[in-house]
């Protein structure tokens, strides 16, 4: 190993506070390298990554060491400074489509054959949000995939591997394929037709014809929280605690709202207990959930944390459930910016996406924030949503202009209004999975219009490049042919700009990003069962085009998708 790489890892490790005992490499039967396919600072901000690290390390028969993308050097684990190839299982936690190319780079740099069929060992596993909603673009490169939430199934995987260690690889994979929530791609032979749908689908026993998503029924049985404290992360002053999981809002563009259903919450007493634990380390508590303000007892939680002198932050807020106790607590915790997501530029379009917000919700939230001294406002929007027109963009400009004027007229002349704009990316297992992404030139023109209209009024505009979003869209709804496009980009150096020039079987990134599926085709990810029927998504697709809303899921009423009844 290069001395600069060793020096970097040792410095990172010295600055960490491990909340779990660190086991020596090779001291237990099953050694797992958990890899985040991006830089250390991003990986250590990911609570799902830390949750799996915690679960494996609670076992007596296994250990988990972390690894990340270190540009210019092969990945080695933080705890043992060992190469990945020396571990039994190399497990990738994949959250973002643009990290797919990093997964290939990490395997290549570690001298691990990229294609699963060419590997003897170690076993390469993949999990995380991106793996759950569509594992196909990475399926030739991994041995098995965890579909859904991993905290319980990881124990079954370790058991199966331990009991069959030393057996032929095929035997181990057949055992793993029998675990609910484990997908072994090589046991599925899939081909596609000219419409992009599945034409050929053959399953080899003992694999199931559909792989059912795993989800945790009782969140209170787990401590989903920070396992390693480090100053080298976006949340360096925070101890992260998950207070809820899943979302029942039925926003039609949002993959997380469907792949992490059923909505679940942790007990108030459990959260307060873990917050007290976090305060021993002098850290601000970061409350994590799909919409923290939707937590049923958020007022009590905010008041309790404030009373105990525990400062806290939140991962997300909903303007329609934001109330004074939460804002008071955030203000006392030093919050300077209120962040909410109207998502769509007009009320018509918010009805299409089933956002459930109005302009009044947003304005009332801003007024409350200013009442508690929170002067800066950040609003998230998506452009290029299905049925969007120039009128929707104009309505967005008009509303933002009024927001800025209202901030100034109310005496808030120093507060910043920031707008973050991202192109719409269609995702599998959403009612919008059949739509293609809007053409890049159209999106670029909309961005020019927004920037030229908003910046002169003192509104800061942040945005993601439509060309980068195009790559994300291609990978999000890709198939096994897309995997070969990834492979070719990797061979050409792995730079994102290479996607524009790579073709596979007459198809390129633009084809995959902008293609639209007919409602009757078999989609490339349909052998994954997330618990919701296709008919449900079709119905929501049709309701969207009519501008009809769908009610929010609650614990009291379950008559929308009916997944809770299963």
């Amino acid at each position: 190993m290069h001395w600069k790489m060793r020096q970097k890892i040792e410095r990172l490790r010295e600055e960490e506070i491990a909340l779990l005992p660190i086991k020596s490499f090779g001291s237990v039967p099953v050694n797992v390298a958990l890899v985040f396919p991006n830089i250390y600072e991003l990986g250590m901000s990911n609570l799902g990554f830390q949750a799996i690290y915690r679960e494996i390390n609670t076992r007596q028969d296994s250990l988990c060491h972390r690894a990340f993308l270190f540009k210019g050097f092969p990945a080695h684990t933080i705890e043992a400074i060992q190469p990945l190839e020396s571990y039994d299982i190399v497990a990738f936690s994949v959250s973002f489509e643009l990290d797919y190319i990093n997964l290939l780079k990490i395997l290549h740099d570690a001298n691990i054959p990229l294609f699963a069929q060419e590997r003897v060992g170690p076993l390469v596993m993949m999990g995380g949000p991106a793996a759950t909603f569509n594992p196909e673009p990475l399926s030739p490169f991994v041995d098995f995939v965890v579909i859904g939430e991993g905290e319980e199934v990881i124990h079954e995987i370790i058991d199966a591997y331990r009991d069959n260690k030393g057996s032929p690889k095929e035997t181990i994979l057949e055992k793993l394929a029998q675990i609910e929530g484990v997908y072994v791609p090589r046991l599925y032979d899939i081909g596609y037709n000219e419409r992009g749908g599945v034409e050929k689908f053959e399953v080899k026993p003992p694999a199931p014809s559909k792989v059912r998503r795993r989800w945790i029924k009782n969140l209170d049985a787990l401590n989903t929280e920070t396992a390693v404290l480090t100053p080298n992360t976006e949340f360096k002053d925070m101890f992260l605690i998950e207070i809820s999981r899943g979302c029942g809002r039925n926003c039609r563009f949002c993959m997380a709202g469907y792949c992490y259903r059923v909505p679940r919450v942790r007990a108030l007493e459990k959260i307060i207990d873990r917050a007290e634990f976090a305060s021993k380390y002098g850290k601000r508590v970061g409350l994590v959930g799909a919409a923290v303000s939707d937590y049923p007892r958020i007022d009590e939680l905010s008041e309790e944390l404030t009373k105990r002198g525990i400062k806290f932050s939140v991962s997300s807020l909903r303007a329609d459930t934001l109330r004074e106790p939460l804002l008071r607590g955030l203000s006392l915790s030093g919050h300077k910016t209120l962040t909410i997501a109207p998502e769509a530029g007009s009320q018509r379009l918010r009805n299409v996406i089933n956002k459930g917000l109005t302009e009044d919700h947003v304005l009332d939230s801003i007024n409350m924030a200013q009442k508690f001294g929170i002067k800066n406002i950040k609003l998230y929007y998506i452009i290029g949503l299905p049925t969007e027109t120039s009128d929707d963009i104009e309505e967005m400009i008009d509303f933002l202009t009024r927001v800025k004027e209202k901030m100034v007229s109310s005496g808030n002349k120093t507060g910043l209004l920031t707008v973050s704009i991202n192109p719409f990316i269609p995702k599998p297992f959403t009612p919008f999975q059949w739509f293609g992404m809007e053409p890049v030139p159209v999106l670029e023109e909309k961005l020019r219009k927004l920037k030229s209209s908003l910046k002169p009024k003192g509104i800061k505009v942040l945005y993601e490049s439509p060309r980068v979003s195009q790559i994300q869209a291609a990978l999000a709804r890709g198939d096994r042919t897309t995997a070969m496009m990834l492979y070719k980009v990797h061979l050409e150096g792995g730079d994102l700009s290479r996607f524009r020039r790579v073709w596979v079987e007459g198809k390129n990134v633009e084809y995959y990003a902008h293609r639209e599926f007919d409602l009757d085709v078999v989609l490339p990810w349909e052998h994954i069962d997330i618990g919701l029927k296709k008919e449900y998504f079709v119905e929501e697709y049709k309701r969207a085009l009519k501008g009809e809303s769908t009610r929010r899921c609650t614990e009291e009423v379950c008559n929308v998708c009916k997944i809770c009844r299963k």
Side-chain angles (χ1 to χ4, degrees), residues 17 83 89 101 127 160 178 189 194 331 367 386 408 435 481-482 549:
I17 299 175
I89 299 173
I101 197 70
Q178 297 174 61
D189 190 7
E194 293 181 357
S331 177
N367 289 337
V408 174
F435 286 103
T481 309
T482 320
S549 63

Side-chain angles (χ1 to χ4, degrees), residues 18-24 53 57-58 60 62-65 79 227:
L19 304 181
L20 296 166
I22 297 176
K23 302 171 190 174
S24 301
Y53 177 79
N57 280 323
T58 59
Q60 297 299 313
S62 62
L63 63 77
C64 183
H65 292 165
E79 288 80 359

Side-chain angles (χ1 to χ4, degrees), residues 355-460:
K355 184 63 183 178
L357 287 185
T358 65
E359 289 185 357
D360 285 343
H361 286 137
V362 178
L363 293 172
D364 289 346
S365 297
I366 293 172
N367 289 337
M368 270 196 291
Q370 293 184 150
K371 176 181 175 181
F372 291 102
I374 301 175
K375 295 186 174 182
N376 300 321
I377 306 299
K378 187 172 185 179
L379 303 177
Y380 280 92
Y381 283 91
I382 301 172
I383 60 171
L385 285 160
T387 79
E388 183 178 76
T389 68
S390 58
D391 289 341
D392 300 307
I393 299 298
E394 291 292 344
E395 189 170 327
M396 175 180 168
I397 293 169
D398 176 68
F399 175 66
L400 291 170
T401 301
R402 285 188 284 118
V403 169
K404 182 63 177 179
E405 290 172 351
K406 186 161 184 160
M407 288 172 65
V408 174
S409 65
S410 64
N412 182 10
K413 296 181 180 180
T414 59
L416 297 176
L417 175 57
T418 303
V419 182
S420 179
I421 304 169
N422 294 290
F424 165 66
I425 297 172
K427 300 278 186 170
F429 295 114
T430 69
F432 290 165
Q433 63 186 335
W434 291 279
F435 286 103
M437 179 182 166
E438 196 165 54
V440 168
V442 176
L443 290 165
E444 289 176 336
E445 179 56 36
K446 289 179 179 179
L447 281 172
R448 280 192 290 269
K449 172 71 173 176
L450 288 164
K451 287 187 291 181
S452 64
S453 300
L454 298 175
K455 284 188 175 181
K457 294 166 182 173
I459 300 172
K460 184 177 181 180

Side-chain angles (χ1 to χ4, degrees), residues 212-230:
R212 295 182 62 187
R213 172 187 65 110
R214 294 291 292 262
W215 60 285
I216 307 301
K217 311 300 188 295
N218 178 17
L219 288 187
D220 285 332
L222 304 167
N223 286 336
T224 307
E225 62 189 34
T226 296
V228 179
L229 292 165
T230 173

